[in-house]
Amino acid sequence: ETVAVEAIPHVRESVKEALGKQLKDLLLAVYKNNQTDGQFSTDAKSVGRRSLKNLALTYLMSGQAAEIIQLCLKQYQSADNMTDELSALSCLVNSGCEERIEALQLFYQKWQNDPLVMNLWLSVQAASKFTDLAEIKKLMDHPAFDYNNPNKLRALIATFCSANHINFHVSTGEGYQFLADQVLTLNHTNPQIAARILTPFTKWRRYDSRRQDQLKSQIERILDSKDLSRNVFEIVSKTLA
């Protein structure tokens, strides 16, 4: 009934790591047997093979073996399609390996002029357990981010607050304050987005008592603010009802 914020991600990662290590040979075989040769195709069989291959890679990378990191890096560098390239980048970013920094830089240099791909670049980082609030604030100053662009806001801020459970729910409550700050700012510039990113606050009763108090405090702070848009007011008021 109460979400175990620290325990759930820890257990999930531990299981993935155990599977990645104990089933390494099988997963490697699945990965190699589902490589596609020739021209990129979007037919069902090719899509399925890429999906299975990249799922196997995700579990393999959880084992943190040096040779697997190199395998992932090779896929990233040689990928001829966004699915394989982004999957490899995501694996590298979530592994915490040193190669992740260079991979992120190379991806940015390659795709910086494509706004839609840059949204993916932001999302991959926002969801990573290695991206804390300080890193999110740095990314908000990055040329790839634009506070006036709804897609950028969803890619970075909404993804961090809804998918990065470890760092958003940090015990200090800083993540909650950060989200409330963004809601209050966007309330005047883009109330629709402000209302959408409120979703993590609507589940405040599911957490432990300390986090409930922290979440409720930020929700009340928003509600006490002047000139709330109808969109934001409706959600916040119902959340506390």
Side-chain angles (χ1 to χ4, degrees):
E1 295 181 0
T2 301
V3 176
V5 175
E6 290 91 357
I8 291 173
H10 173 72
V11 171
R12 182 175 183 273
E13 290 301 315
S14 295
V15 171
K16 284 183 67 179
E17 182 178 348
L19 290 171
K21 289 179 177 178
Q22 295 182 34
L23 302 179
K24 181 180 177 181
D25 292 341
L26 175 60
L27 290 166
L28 268 174
V30 170
Y31 179 82
K32 293 175 180 177
N33 291 337
N34 284 279
Q35 296 288 346
T36 52
D37 298 323
Q39 189 175 2
F40 174 77
S41 175
T42 57
D43 64 83
K45 184 177 180 180
S46 297
V47 170
R49 291 181 67 180
R50 280 193 296 273
S51 179
L52 181 56
K53 174 188 69 177
N54 287 315
L55 180 61
L57 181 62
T58 300
Y59 278 92
L60 285 165
M61 282 291 285
S62 296
Q64 299 287 322
E67 68 271 21
I68 300 299
I69 292 175
Q70 291 305 309
L71 181 71
C72 184
L73 194 60
K74 181 180 179 181
Q75 173 175 313
Y76 172 73
Q77 294 169 337
S78 62
D80 62 356
N81 63 85
M82 183 54 66
T83 299
D84 284 349
E85 187 172 354
L86 192 65
S87 294
L89 178 66
S90 180
C91 285
L92 290 167
V93 169
N94 285 292
S95 73
C97 63
E98 294 181 0
E99 290 82 356
R100 69 193 290 265
I101 299 173
E102 181 182 1
L104 284 166
Q105 291 173 341
L106 291 173
F107 193 92
Y108 173 73
Q109 291 169 5
K110 180 179 179 181
W111 297 105
Q112 59 184 303
N113 295 319
D114 190 321
L116 295 179
V117 178
M118 282 293 92
N119 292 342
L120 299 174
W121 184 77
L122 290 169
S123 293
V124 164
Q125 295 176 83
S128 172
K129 63 182 179 181
F130 295 101
T131 303
D132 59 15
L133 185 56
E135 287 298 316
I136 293 295
K137 291 179 177 179
K138 287 181 181 178
L139 285 168
M140 289 175 70
D141 291 327
H142 195 281
F145 182 77
D146 179 359
Y147 204 86
N148 296 313
N149 185 315
N151 290 329
K152 303 294 183 187
L153 290 167
R154 282 190 285 265
L156 184 63
I157 294 174
T159 299
F160 174 75
C161 297
S162 62
N164 195 329
H165 304 295
I166 294 176
N167 292 302
F168 174 65
H169 291 287
V170 65
S171 60
T172 60
E174 292 175 280
Y176 308 148
Q177 182 178 343
F178 170 77
L179 178 55
D181 289 344
Q182 308 316 309
V183 170
L184 290 172
T185 299
L186 291 166
N187 174 67
H188 300 292
T189 60
N190 195 327
Q192 290 81 15
I193 292 296
R196 285 187 182 185
I197 66 174
L198 268 168
T199 301
F201 280 154
T202 64
K203 304 171 184 178
W204 68 277
R205 288 185 173 88
R206 296 187 60 194
Y207 297 97
D208 57 79
S209 58
R210 179 181 61 185
R211 287 186 171 88
Q212 281 191 35
D213 291 342
Q214 293 170 336
L215 284 159
K216 186 179 180 182
S217 175
Q218 295 302 324
I219 297 169
E220 290 174 339
R221 177 183 157 217
I222 295 172
L223 191 60
D224 291 342
S225 164
K226 296 180 180 179
D227 303 321
L228 278 184
S229 67
R230 184 175 61 182
N231 310 66
V232 173
F233 176 78
E234 182 178 1
I235 293 177
V236 174
S237 58
K238 287 182 178 179
T239 296
L240 286 177

